[in-house]
Amino acid sequence: NKTALTVLPRLYVRTEAFDKAVETLVRHAPLEGDKGAALYAEAGRIAFENLMDPELAQRHLDKALSLDNENLGALKTLGALHEKRGNWQQAAEMLLRAEAASGSRAERIQLVWDAAQIVDQRLEDPARALDLFERILKLDPDHIEAGQRVADRLVASKRWDDALPVLENLPVTAKVAQV
């Protein structure tokens, strides 16, 4: 019964029977064809967040992406999974793929911000981090943290002409903090 298979996973999650939720989602997913990607992604998320089983999560998330390589839920969860494992390059890549798949401007900004933090702090790649912080400013010219990081890096590298418009666009409160 498809209705039961749709409702059961939510019920299992509410009752903290996470293993049963994952099992039900995985059993239901093949019945949905390509649309089963969302179910595999949800199974992967539950396996990662609730069962604390990254291997099981990885299998379900990979299956979701094999059906839909732009599945937002799978990409975001894989980003978190790789981050937890310390696979910084893969974490940043998944977050940026998730950003490309997202239709929400606010979510896209957050995903690029998270990727930029990883690239900056974990991969220690200042040039790539600068590119990502600038990308955030294209999505949100008023993003204070990204604006400050871009301005700081441009000033440090004496790129005055590039830094000036960024500094001029920073809100007054951010400028005071910078002085």
Side-chain angles (χ1 to χ4, degrees):
N1 181 341
K2 272 187 151 181
T3 304
L5 287 174
T6 303
V7 174
L8 271 175
R10 288 185 297 217
L11 180 63
Y12 286 140
V13 167
R14 285 183 183 224
T15 60
E16 298 184 9
F18 301 115
D19 54 337
K20 289 182 179 181
V22 169
E23 181 183 312
T24 304
L25 287 163
V26 170
R27 192 175 36 193
H28 183 191
L31 303 175
E32 296 296 319
D34 289 349
K35 293 182 180 172
L39 300 176
Y40 283 116
E42 181 65 8
R45 186 191 65 75
I46 294 168
F48 176 64
E49 293 177 0
N50 302 107
L51 295 177
M52 312 290 182
D53 187 339
E55 286 75 28
L56 180 63
Q58 177 95 42
R59 278 197 312 272
H60 296 316
L61 296 167
D62 287 344
K63 180 67 175 175
L65 291 177
S66 75
L67 296 172
D68 174 7
N69 68 356
E70 294 181 358
N71 183 283
L72 183 60
L75 292 167
K76 286 169 52 174
T77 304
L78 270 173
L81 187 146
H82 285 303
E83 189 171 0
K84 185 158 181 89
R85 288 179 170 168
N87 298 333
W88 309 119
Q89 186 65 40
Q90 294 94 328
E93 179 187 328
M94 289 299 131
L95 292 171
L96 293 173
R97 283 181 59 192
E99 182 264 335
S102 176
S104 162
R105 182 175 162 267
E107 183 175 47
R108 290 180 63 212
I109 291 165
Q110 186 61 53
L111 290 164
V112 177
W113 174 259
D114 293 345
Q117 294 296 316
I118 291 169
V119 168
D120 189 35
Q121 297 169 8
R122 301 298 186 170
L123 295 176
E124 298 178 0
D125 184 344
R128 186 169 173 217
L130 177 60
D131 288 342
L132 292 173
F133 290 130
E134 288 175 327
R135 189 161 147 189
I136 293 167
L137 289 180
K138 287 180 181 146
L139 290 167
D140 179 5
D142 296 326
H143 196 283
I144 294 172
E145 295 90 352
Q148 287 176 323
R149 284 188 173 76
V150 168
D152 289 346
R153 286 148 202 253
L154 293 174
V155 167
S157 62
K158 298 182 176 160
R159 292 174 51 192
W160 312 118
D161 290 340
D162 295 328
L164 187 60
V166 176
L167 287 167
E168 288 175 342
N169 197 48
L170 282 174
V172 174
T173 55
K175 289 178 189 172
V176 171
Q178 225 176 12
V179 173

